Amino acid sequence: MSESKVLGIVFSDMHDDKMGDLTMVRTMGSVPYGGRYRLVDFALSNMVNAGIRDVGMLTKSNYHSLMDHVGSGREWDLARKIGGLTILPPFATKGSAAGQSRGSLETLAGIHGYIASSKAKHVILCDCDIVASIDYQAMLAAHEEKGAGITLLCGRYDVAPHHGEDLILTIGEDDFLRDAFQSTEARGEQDVYMNIAIFDRELLLRLVADGVSHGKYTMEEIIRDQAKTHTILCYKQEGWFYHMHSLTEYFEANMALLDAQVREELFQPERPIFTKIRDEAPAKYGLSSSVKNSLIADGCIIEGTVENSIIFRGVKVGQGAVVRNSIIMQGCVIDDKAELDYVILDKDVLIKDGRRLAGYLTYPLYVPKKAHI
């Protein structure tokens, strides 16, 4: 492992259960987003934009599409002889069910040797349920300036009943944590832990070993315990971000990209978001096509109407077909005169001639991969 000031750890699958059928055959990190990206792209890009060149990616199950996407890490400049991207298979401590870890803490205990062998001073832990452009250099600077052993990235947003797993933070005027709790009763705007944190490496190893020995499984348990010491710094995320908890929020996070201001805040020239390169022909538009307020990826053939939608690579929209307020993933075919409204089509779905599918803004209709309707 190369000498580096910071070691990155990406949890690719820690919240797979949030997305329902969307993560039935894939892990959270490989969930498609925005017409050409995967959620893991944001975790990896934010790290390499901060100069982090040693990144370990934790996997558990359904990670074949993730491996196909990240490959050797070349697109993120992480294909290196020393250090770079390391894929860490599922590890578990004694007593865990079916060889699988029961939480982030137990997962970290399983890769103790990997972390201990690093010469990095700090470790960044990052989940894949966040879409944001994060300035880790500024966050690290605050961590060192304040002399904190732990720094949490926090965001402020309206908490809903289904956000019960969120860790809600009480932050003092000095930006240090005063209290942390999980509650399904919390409502309104709250400061919430965004599942991203910086730890001093030696402290992390000590807290993980101590926590596992006391029967703890999650990082949230450690944070709640350490909150009493008032030594955890809270760093507030600036600019647009989205913390996804459900399929509906995944839909909302995609639709937000139709706002030019959101795109400017998320895709910043000085902190680009990298992804796997695929050579496709430019999108083709038929003479009768109509496209309004939509993102159309390369390789598409559009002969019908597309409005307020996200269209991934290689999609075909037939003549007279109408797609509104929808997310259409790679390789889908929408035949002539079909109509879709508030629909999420997974990859390689076929919608036959004249079919009509409709969901609703708060309950988009999801069609699984390779379905024929």
Side-chain angles (χ1 to χ4, degrees):
M1 186 175 293
S2 64
E3 291 193 28
S4 176
K5 184 179 180 182
V6 183
L7 171 67
I9 301 290
V10 176
F11 295 89
S12 69
D13 55 4
M14 197 52 64
H15 305 283
D16 286 0
D17 57 334
K18 291 181 176 181
M19 294 297 182
D21 291 340
L22 190 59
T23 47
M24 187 69 70
V25 295
R26 59 167 68 88
T27 191
M28 189 76 165
S30 62
V31 169
Y33 177 79
R36 61 185 301 114
Y37 300 94
R38 303 292 183 107
L39 293 183
V40 72
D41 293 339
F42 296 89
L44 292 176
S45 298
N46 286 327
M47 288 185 177
V48 300
N49 287 335
I52 298 169
R53 294 295 180 261
D54 287 336
V55 179
M57 182 179 296
L58 286 153
T59 61
K60 183 172 63 177
S61 59
N62 293 332
Y63 49 82
H64 300 291
S65 63
L66 180 71
M67 299 299 96
D68 176 68
H69 182 71
V70 300
S72 64
R74 180 173 60 88
E75 277 80 6
W76 299 268
D77 194 26
L78 292 174
R80 295 165 175 261
K81 292 182 178 179
I82 301 176
L85 179 66
T86 302
I87 305 299
L88 300 168
F91 292 97
T93 57
K94 185 177 179 181
S96 58
Q100 300 289 351
S101 62
R102 290 164 284 191
S104 54
L105 200 66
E106 200 168 58
T107 300
L108 289 170
I111 60 166
H112 176 277
Y114 174 76
I115 299 173
S117 66
S118 171
K119 294 179 172 60
K121 181 180 179 181
H122 308 299
V123 179
I124 293 181
L125 306 179
C126 176
D127 289 358
C128 287
D129 58 343
I130 303 290
V131 175
S133 176
I134 302 169
D135 188 349
Y136 281 133
Q137 289 183 324
M139 189 175 172
L140 282 162
H143 177 83
E144 294 186 331
E145 180 183 345
K146 298 277 188 173
I150 304 172
T151 297
L152 309 180
L153 185 71
C154 65
R156 189 168 182 84
Y157 55 81
D158 284 326
V159 173
H162 66 280
H163 295 173
E165 292 184 359
D166 281 353
L167 192 64
I168 297 172
L169 310 177
T170 302
I171 305 172
E173 293 183 0
D174 58 356
D175 292 331
F176 280 88
L177 185 63
R178 293 293 182 264
D179 193 15
F181 61 94
Q182 290 167 306
S183 173
T184 57
E185 303 301 319
R187 296 291 185 275
E189 279 202 350
Q190 305 283 347
D191 289 313
V192 181
Y193 171 48
M194 292 174 59
N195 301 322
I196 296 173
I198 298 173
F199 282 77
D200 288 347
R201 185 176 63 90
E202 295 297 332
L203 175 62
L204 176 64
L205 291 171
R206 189 164 63 250
L207 290 174
V208 168
D210 182 68
V212 170
S213 69
H214 285 84
K216 297 174 182 176
Y217 307 128
T218 67
M219 189 55 64
E220 286 78 7
E221 293 175 273
I222 296 299
I223 292 171
R224 287 199 300 265
D225 290 344
Q226 292 295 306
K228 302 169 186 176
T229 67
H230 298 173
T231 59
I232 299 180
L233 180 66
C234 297
Y235 185 85
K236 297 183 179 180
Q237 169 65 12
E238 300 295 336
W240 185 88
F241 67 90
Y242 210 107
H243 189 181
M244 286 173 278
H245 303 80
S246 66
L247 186 61
T248 299
E249 292 190 355
Y250 166 78
F251 179 81
E252 293 172 354
N254 275 272
M255 291 297 108
L257 292 182
L258 299 179
D259 185 334
Q261 181 62 38
V262 168
R263 295 197 299 271
E264 288 179 7
E265 292 188 33
L266 185 59
F267 301 106
Q268 301 181 28
E270 65 274 17
R271 293 201 299 273
I273 304 300
F274 303 100
T275 191
K276 182 177 181 178
I277 301 299
R278 296 182 186 274
D279 295 325
E280 297 270 5
K284 295 173 63 177
Y285 300 89
L287 294 176
S288 61
S289 66
S290 174
V291 177
K292 297 179 182 179
N293 193 38
S294 298
L295 298 181
I296 310 293
D298 45 355
C300 292
I301 299 175
I302 309 297
E303 296 179 324
T305 297
V306 179
E307 297 179 1
N308 304 320
S309 295
I310 308 291
I311 310 297
F312 283 72
R313 295 182 176 102
V315 170
K316 179 181 178 182
V317 179
Q319 291 186 3
V322 178
V323 179
R324 292 190 177 98
N325 310 307
S326 295
I327 300 170
I328 312 299
M329 295 188 193
Q330 182 176 329
C332 290
V333 176
I334 301 160
D335 279 342
D336 297 350
K337 298 183 180 180
E339 295 185 16
L340 305 179
D341 195 10
Y342 290 109
V343 173
I344 300 173
L345 298 188
D346 211 322
K347 295 173 64 175
D348 301 320
V349 171
L350 170 62
I351 305 297
K352 297 180 181 178
D353 290 355
R355 302 299 196 271
R356 297 182 179 182
L357 299 177
Y360 192 68
L361 175 62
T362 56
Y363 199 95
L365 176 64
Y366 171 78
V367 179
K369 188 176 179 180
K370 296 185 178 180
H372 288 195
I373 298 177

